[in-house]
Amino acid sequence: MSPRVATAPRTTTSTHSHAAGKRPGLRPAAITAAMIAQLRSLAEPRWSADGKQICYLESHDGQGTLLATPSAGGPALRLTSDPPAASAAAYAGGFYAVTRDSIIYQGADRALYRMPAGGGHGHQLPTGGGGAAGPVCSPDGTRVAYVTDDGATSDIGIVDVAGDSWPRKLAVDADFVADPVWSPNGRMLAWVEWSVPNMAWDESRLVIYDLRSGERRVVLGEPEVSVGQPRWSPDGKTLAFLCDRDGYLNLWRASGDGAAPTPWITESYDHGGPTWGTGQASYSWSADSRRIAFIRDEGAAQELCLLDVATSEVTSLAAPAGSYAVVRFAPRGDRLLVLRNTPTLAPAIEVLDVARGTRHVVASAALGGLDGTDFVEPEAITWRAEDDLEIHGLLYRPTGLHEDQRPPLLVYIHGGPTGHTGAAWNPSVQYFVQRGWAVLAPNARGSSGHGRAYIQALRDEWGGADMADIVAGVDEVVRRGWADGARVVPWGGSAGGYAVLLLPILYPDRFKAAVSLFGVSDLFSLARTTHRLEAHYLDRILGPLPATAARYRERSPVFHAARYGAPLLMLQGDRDVAVTPDQAHAMADALRAAGKTAILHLYEGEGHGWLRAATVRDYLARMDRFLEEYALLR
């Protein structure tokens, strides 16, 4: 469905006249906003029980569809239609599970449904009310465990696949739970849990629950240590998981009953990302329990590796470079299923034959004209912060410029702030690079992908040291002659949008214009109104209230609008529960009262991020026009 785009409310435009400058000659662009809006996203590829098919979730225009395609290659079959599957979105994951004869999936209404493995009508499972996510099927295929959340608590539920009995609820001794997994004998469940004020990457626990005795055992739960992604070996002898006690989120192991947890690989690379929800799959056991394939995150790029269980030897697979979102061993044999993309390659689902070193694509999100041939590869760069911390980032540089040309610079700031911008598919960035912009994507302190200490360096510092990190990166790019320091524009969403609203206050003479997507303007309001998952996030990265109220006020852009130093475009979804629309309205009002240039546009039906094709198209075109008027022509 196409959304109805709201007329821009509470819009403020400058009453000051200006002399329009001459727009610099920009290279012809090969891609358009409408083309990007047609792109599909691919998520969570999984093997069928016999390995002959591969299922995956395709999302577009706010709708999700489960498909299946032969693992050897062939046409895809659409499986879901009634009711439709949930669409991939922010904070979502763990959408479905596959058994020998059924698929259990999350519907668009957040209920769980069972349909035949070959597709057909979905029958709702009795999960006991509330949202249900992360379904995992027992080894015998008769039961489904899932994460249930009623808006106040999170627990583990278990229901018969046939849906003939009431669900069993396992009360979790924590505020949040993720990634339930069955033991191979079906007698135990393991999961990750955490309690406020921590987020999962601050401090979390790995728990095993005996379904027969009701015994609950904490495998690992230590202060200032996080865990993730528990997986039993198929023979049940070993429980693997990720843990950052030694500084990086590395592979660990315990015995099958959870005893004697110990590091398995200790290296200065993460093997997975922060747990925002359920469903990550950054490593996988082979069917014979002899090997583990895992993703090694090297910051800007990723590598696919293989661990020999008997010797603990790690080898790099002869796999193509790229960003890997999923890795899964086949139910038998040496094949690996991966979801891979690069800055110039749209996400593709591939099957790798480990023994033969061959690979083939079974599904792709590529679109004609958006095949990456006109895209550029980013350069990984580093710079020093004010306290001498090494900061990481990526730089995209437009092609076709003369040596003496200094392109305008977009500063693309990721969300989170415990997020990360890697060398991955980002057509929106490439859209502006093709239009002559250089793009700096800083991974300031607090970003993931560089170990625990880098994430925790943002403790009490959000809106402080990370802002200085970003400006130091801009200074480095300008100093090296890669961009025009007089035409710098910050751009980002969520926590990135917050940075966009704050940077021209802290550095009012540094930015030509600014573009904020669902950004935070009032930290007090955010602490009161954001959704349950992030309700205590600020306790760690800013400090608890009321003790640190002065810091909240100092770093809330809405209280300092009179100092804002750039024309601002704000785009916001009217159904956003993470950063509610009042944040954007308040900032627009404050800027208007201060006589500043602010343009606010609301998208009806959108939440925390754009799902609808019409929104994506309008957003890019609207931003392009804004940049031309306020950053290029003035």
Side-chain angles (χ1 to χ4, degrees):
M1 298 184 297
S2 296
R4 290 175 296 145
V5 179
T7 302
R10 302 196 187 186
T11 299
T12 307
T13 55
S14 173
T15 58
H16 302 292
S17 62
H18 67 277
K22 182 180 179 182
R23 180 176 180 176
L26 304 179
R27 65 189 296 266
I31 60 175
T32 67
M35 292 167 69
I36 293 175
Q38 294 182 52
L39 285 167
R40 271 66 175 162
S41 71
L42 306 180
E44 297 192 11
R46 299 180 185 273
W47 298 94
S48 62
D50 60 8
K52 294 182 179 179
Q53 286 194 315
I54 291 168
C55 301
Y56 59 98
L57 177 68
E58 179 186 274
S59 299
H60 179 249
D61 204 17
Q63 298 185 4
T65 305
L66 282 169
L67 297 97
T69 187
S71 59
L77 174 67
R78 292 184 175 269
L79 300 178
T80 52
S81 59
D82 182 25
S87 175
Y91 308 101
F95 293 102
Y96 71 102
V98 179
T99 72
R100 288 185 295 272
D101 53 12
S102 300
I103 294 178
I104 312 299
Y105 70 97
Q106 184 187 51
D109 59 358
R110 297 186 68 217
L112 288 186
Y113 294 86
R114 174 182 56 85
M115 71 175 174
H121 176 59
H123 299 273
Q124 186 172 349
L125 297 178
T127 57
V136 287
C137 294
S138 61
D140 62 5
T142 63
R143 294 169 292 170
V144 177
Y146 56 93
V147 176
T148 178
D149 194 315
D150 62 4
T153 60
S154 291
D155 295 302
I156 298 292
I158 302 174
V159 67
D160 291 340
V161 169
D164 296 332
S165 61
W166 289 106
R168 175 184 178 184
K169 290 291 182 70
L170 308 179
V172 174
D173 188 22
D175 293 304
F176 297 96
V177 63
D179 289 326
V181 60
W182 293 88
S183 64
N185 59 15
R187 298 177 184 175
M188 294 184 289
L189 281 170
W191 63 74
V192 171
E193 63 182 38
W194 65 97
S195 300
V196 300
N198 297 303
M199 298 296 283
W201 50 85
D202 295 320
E203 183 177 312
S204 46
R205 299 180 292 275
L206 172 58
V207 172
I208 289 179
Y209 186 90
D210 190 308
L211 293 168
R212 291 185 176 180
S213 68
E215 177 189 3
R216 166 192 161 94
R217 175 185 302 167
V218 176
V219 176
L220 196 146
E222 300 177 8
E224 301 294 325
V225 172
S226 74
V227 295
Q229 297 188 57
R231 305 273 193 278
W232 266 285
S233 58
D235 62 14
K237 295 179 180 179
T238 305
L239 176 64
F241 59 98
L242 301 183
C243 178
D244 67 359
R245 192 178 73 181
D246 294 328
Y248 288 82
L249 201 59
N250 287 168
L251 269 170
W252 278 49
R253 61 181 166 183
S255 61
D257 62 0
T262 186
W264 205 340
I265 302 173
T266 302
E267 61 181 17
S268 299
Y269 301 108
D270 288 331
H271 299 155
T275 299
W276 283 95
T278 198
Q280 273 199 77
S282 64
Y283 76 94
S284 175
W285 284 94
S286 63
D288 60 10
S289 301
R290 295 180 178 180
R291 294 163 295 173
I292 292 178
F294 68 94
I295 298 168
R296 173 186 283 160
D297 192 336
E298 298 178 346
Q302 294 179 327
E303 186 178 19
L304 202 58
C305 300
L306 201 62
L307 169 69
D308 186 295
V309 169
T311 65
S312 295
E313 180 183 357
V314 174
T315 57
S316 177
L317 286 173
S323 177
Y324 289 88
V326 171
V327 56
R328 301 186 196 275
F329 258 111
R332 61 182 63 87
D334 293 316
R335 293 179 300 165
L336 278 176
L337 177 63
V338 299
L339 178 58
R340 183 178 75 94
N341 69 87
T342 74
T344 62
L345 175 72
I349 299 170
E350 301 177 354
V351 174
L352 309 180
D353 190 309
V354 176
R356 299 179 181 178
T358 60
R359 67 184 180 96
H360 65 275
V361 175
V362 296
S364 173
L367 179 72
L370 274 173
D371 56 4
T373 54
D374 292 312
F375 291 177
V376 300
E377 291 277 357
E379 176 185 354
I381 63 173
T382 61
W383 58 92
R384 290 290 172 180
E386 291 179 349
D387 59 1
D388 206 39
L389 180 67
E390 185 178 60
I391 307 300
H392 304 265
L394 297 175
L395 180 66
Y396 295 76
R397 302 172 66 184
T399 60
L401 298 178
H402 299 300
E403 288 187 7
D404 59 345
Q405 282 186 289
R406 301 292 181 263
L409 179 67
L410 279 171
V411 185
Y412 177 75
I413 308 168
H414 64 68
T418 314
H420 177 76
T421 300
W425 176 253
N426 193 326
S428 296
V429 166
Q430 299 283 358
Y431 174 88
F432 288 105
V433 173
Q434 286 198 358
R435 282 153 177 78
W437 289 86
V439 178
L440 171 66
N443 286 309
R445 71 186 69 203
S447 302
S448 57
H450 300 282
R452 180 180 178 87
Y454 201 78
I455 290 176
Q456 297 302 326
L458 198 62
R459 186 76 59 89
D460 298 332
E461 286 290 347
W462 194 35
D466 57 331
M467 300 297 107
D469 294 345
I470 293 168
V471 171
V474 172
D475 289 343
E476 179 68 10
V477 169
V478 172
R479 183 186 67 80
R480 300 186 67 168
W482 291 334
D484 181 357
R487 291 180 295 161
V488 180
V489 179
W491 160 43
S494 192
Y498 166 66
V500 170
L501 297 181
L502 187 58
L503 283 167
I505 291 171
L506 299 176
Y507 306 91
D509 300 323
R510 301 297 302 276
F511 301 102
K512 187 74 171 178
V515 180
S516 173
L517 317 178
F518 35 93
V520 177
S521 68
D522 185 340
L523 295 169
F524 293 103
S525 177
L526 182 69
R528 292 193 309 269
T529 63
T530 193
H531 58 164
R532 195 172 75 89
L533 175 64
E534 297 182 86
H536 294 269
Y537 197 0
L538 301 187
D539 290 9
R540 283 299 198 117
I541 59 177
L542 273 173
L545 288 171
T548 56
R551 185 181 298 158
Y552 278 62
R553 185 174 184 84
E554 175 191 355
R555 298 181 186 175
S556 291
V558 72
F559 299 121
H560 312 288
R563 291 160 44 196
Y564 204 83
L568 173 65
L569 172 65
M570 288 183 290
L571 303 176
Q572 173 75 43
D574 71 345
R575 295 185 183 179
D576 194 338
V577 298
V579 179
T580 51
D582 59 290
Q583 296 268 353
H585 288 307
M587 190 67 183
D589 288 345
L591 288 167
R592 176 176 56 197
K596 304 292 182 176
T597 300
I599 301 170
L600 169 61
H601 187 85
L602 284 186
Y603 290 110
E604 288 188 0
E606 291 286 12
H608 200 62
W610 315 139
L611 294 180
R612 298 178 177 180
T615 305
V616 173
R617 182 173 61 249
D618 182 83
Y619 142 62
L620 289 171
R622 187 180 295 269
M623 179 175 165
D624 195 16
R625 293 193 300 269
F626 172 82
L627 292 176
E628 180 174 347
E629 178 176 356
Y630 290 100
L632 299 179
L633 294 178
R634 299 193 180 200

CSV table of all heavy atoms in Angstrom, one decimal, residues 8 92 97 332 418-419 586:
chain,number,residue,atom,x,y,z
A,8,ALA,N,3.0,19.1,5.3
A,8,ALA,CA,4.0,19.4,6.3
A,8,ALA,C,3.4,20.3,7.4
A,8,ALA,O,3.1,21.5,7.1
A,8,ALA,CB,5.2,20.1,5.6
A,92,ALA,N,13.2,-5.6,15.3
A,92,ALA,CA,12.6,-6.9,15.0
A,92,ALA,C,13.6,-8.0,14.6
A,92,ALA,O,14.6,-7.6,14.0
A,92,ALA,CB,11.5,-6.7,13.9
A,97,ALA,N,10.3,-20.1,12.0
A,97,ALA,CA,11.1,-21.3,12.2
A,97,ALA,C,10.5,-22.4,11.3
A,97,ALA,O,9.4,-22.3,10.9
A,97,ALA,CB,11.0,-21.8,13.7
A,332,ARG,N,22.9,-31.3,6.7
A,332,ARG,CA,24.0,-32.3,6.5
A,332,ARG,C,24.9,-31.8,5.4
A,332,ARG,O,24.6,-31.0,4.6
A,332,ARG,CB,23.3,-33.6,6.1
A,332,ARG,CG,22.6,-33.6,4.8
A,332,ARG,CD,21.9,-35.0,4.5
A,332,ARG,NE,21.0,-35.3,5.5
A,332,ARG,CZ,19.7,-34.9,5.4
A,332,ARG,NH1,19.2,-34.2,4.4
A,332,ARG,NH2,18.8,-35.3,6.3
A,418,THR,N,24.4,2.8,20.0
A,418,THR,CA,25.2,1.5,19.9
A,418,THR,C,25.0,0.8,18.6
A,418,THR,O,24.5,-0.3,18.5
A,418,THR,CB,24.8,0.6,21.1
A,418,THR,OG1,24.8,1.4,22.3
A,418,THR,CG2,25.9,-0.5,21.3
A,419,GLY,N,25.1,1.6,17.5
A,419,GLY,CA,25.0,1.0,16.2
A,419,GLY,C,26.4,1.0,15.5
A,419,GLY,O,27.4,1.2,16.1
A,586,ALA,N,8.3,19.8,19.1
A,586,ALA,CA,8.9,20.7,20.1
A,586,ALA,C,10.1,21.5,19.5
A,586,ALA,O,10.3,22.7,19.7
A,586,ALA,CB,9.3,20.0,21.3
